[in-house]
Amino acid sequence: SWSDTENQFPGSLTEEEIKQDRRQVRESRKDDDGVSDYALLSANMSYRFTDAHSIELSSSYNRRDSETDMFSYPRPSFFDGLNQSFCLMPQYIFNTEDIRLVTGLDYQKDILNVHLFDSASRDNRTGDTHIDRDTLSAYSHVQYTLNPQWMISGGLRQERTRLKIKNKSTSSFNDSK
């Protein structure tokens, strides 16, 4: 799937307007703008060995490109962002009339890159942020049917995340060379 959106954001409130009523919305400045392109690609596959044993594999890739210009902020803000996410989720399923066991892994990689600029023309880059996150999870869930009225179920999930963040911010930052 793919989508393309454009937003006109409401302007920020002045200190006096916040004192009057912080819940009010200031009329949007014509210059405040955001554009975003979003794409999603997903695939699923399953294989049944027997009536009771099967495996499933799901995967997805998400990508969002955005460009935002906020002139009305007390300190105007101009930034471009690229957010990507990749997921891979294999699982094993054991299913009988009385017992259902699902066990599997989830792997997710998220990457966020944000470029800050000093103006909407984007001639001078003033900063970069790069965030890289890897998450690996293992889980298992079992459900036991005692009779048509009663069932017992429980599960366990262990998750580990690695996060790397790199920031570069300087008034003289210029990557146009």
Side-chain angles (χ1 to χ4, degrees):
S1 69
W2 176 82
S3 70
D4 184 28
T5 57
E6 292 189 30
N7 303 298
Q8 290 293 315
F9 298 110
S12 61
L13 300 175
T14 65
E15 195 172 327
E16 185 60 37
E17 290 170 325
I18 291 172
K19 287 178 185 175
Q20 291 173 2
D21 180 5
R22 66 178 178 83
R23 293 175 292 175
Q24 67 179 312
V25 176
R26 177 187 253 181
E27 192 164 320
S28 176
R29 279 191 54 170
K30 192 167 98 176
D31 299 336
D32 287 348
D33 199 17
V35 177
S36 177
D37 290 323
Y38 176 76
L40 167 66
L41 177 64
S42 63
N44 300 300
M45 181 175 62
S46 62
Y47 180 77
R48 183 176 301 267
F49 296 101
T50 67
D51 286 343
H53 301 275
S54 63
I55 58 172
E56 293 183 3
L57 178 63
S58 300
S59 63
S60 67
Y61 173 75
N62 300 285
R63 179 185 173 107
R64 179 179 303 273
D65 288 296
S66 59
E67 183 179 300
T68 305
D69 298 335
M70 300 302 289
F71 288 92
S72 67
Y73 279 9
R75 201 164 115 200
S77 180
F78 312 96
F79 57 92
D80 296 343
L82 173 61
N83 189 349
Q84 299 177 86
S85 180
F86 170 75
C87 300
L88 186 62
M89 300 156 287
Q91 64 181 1
Y92 165 76
I93 301 164
F94 174 76
N95 196 16
T96 66
E97 191 173 308
D98 297 335
I99 297 175
R100 177 174 173 84
L101 169 71
V102 178
T103 188
L105 298 171
D106 289 345
Y107 172 73
Q108 182 166 340
K109 178 156 191 82
D110 298 302
I111 300 170
L112 173 63
N113 288 302
V114 177
H115 305 294
L116 304 172
F117 300 91
D118 64 357
S119 67
S121 65
R122 287 165 169 70
D123 295 327
N124 186 35
R125 193 183 297 180
T126 59
D128 278 338
T129 299
H130 177 83
I131 300 173
D132 191 339
R133 180 176 69 177
D134 289 294
T135 304
L136 181 63
S137 307
Y139 62 90
S140 189
H141 182 266
V142 66
Q143 178 178 309
Y144 179 68
T145 303
L146 298 170
N147 60 46
Q149 290 81 26
W150 288 93
M151 171 185 32
I152 298 172
S153 70
L156 180 65
R157 180 180 179 96
Q158 176 69 36
E159 184 171 294
R160 183 175 182 98
T161 299
R162 181 188 56 81
L163 187 64
K164 290 182 185 175
I165 302 172
K166 295 178 188 174
N167 284 314
K168 185 174 183 180
S169 180
T170 175
S171 59
S172 62
F173 187 92
N174 192 337
D175 198 271
S176 61
K177 297 176 185 175

